[in-house]
Amino acid sequence: MVGVRFLPMLLEVKAGDTIVWENRDPFPHNVTADNGQFRSGDIAPEQTGKITVDKRGRFLYVCTLHPGMKGVLTVN
Ligand SMILES: [Cu+2]
């Protein structure tokens, strides 16, 4: 997370992978799936949030603090 966006915005991983998001902005962010499949909780500046994904599919997610921050996660 940097500049109030997810970088990269499109992410492709395998089932069972753990994804780490690092917050490089000076305010908190979170990672929240639109369908409720995963949720990081708020991640403070300079901190990281981890999610392990085990369900295959394509998931849209946002930061609920900044609804314009969107990403797409594909789990193969
Ligand atoms: Cu945010």
Side-chain angles (χ1 to χ4, degrees), residues 28-30 63 65-66 69:
H29 290 303
N30 62 55
C63 168
L65 303 174
H66 308 103
M69 278 180 77

Side-chain angles (χ1 to χ4, degrees), residues 24-38:
R24 293 195 196 153
D25 275 330
F27 34 80
H29 290 303
N30 62 55
V31 179
T32 304
D34 285 3
N35 70 355
Q37 190 69 38
F38 51 83

Side-chain angles (χ1 to χ4, degrees):
M1 300 140 163
V2 63
V4 200
R5 64 204 161 128
F6 292 110
L7 241 182
M9 207 188 98
L10 302 175
L11 201 55
E12 195 166 340
V13 300
K14 289 185 203 152
D17 281 356
T18 296
I19 306 155
V20 178
W21 279 273
E22 184 182 345
N23 183 3
R24 293 195 196 153
D25 275 330
F27 34 80
H29 290 303
N30 62 55
V31 179
T32 304
D34 285 3
N35 70 355
Q37 190 69 38
F38 51 83
R39 180 178 173 82
S40 68
D42 289 354
I43 304 166
E46 307 303 324
Q47 299 297 308
T48 56
K50 274 191 226 179
I51 288 168
T52 300
V53 286
D54 42 22
K55 195 177 173 198
R56 290 180 172 83
R58 185 168 172 274
F59 303 97
L60 306 180
Y61 63 91
V62 295
C63 168
T64 59
L65 303 174
H66 308 103
M69 278 180 77
K70 296 175 193 233
V72 181
L73 173 66
T74 303
V75 182
N76 295 312

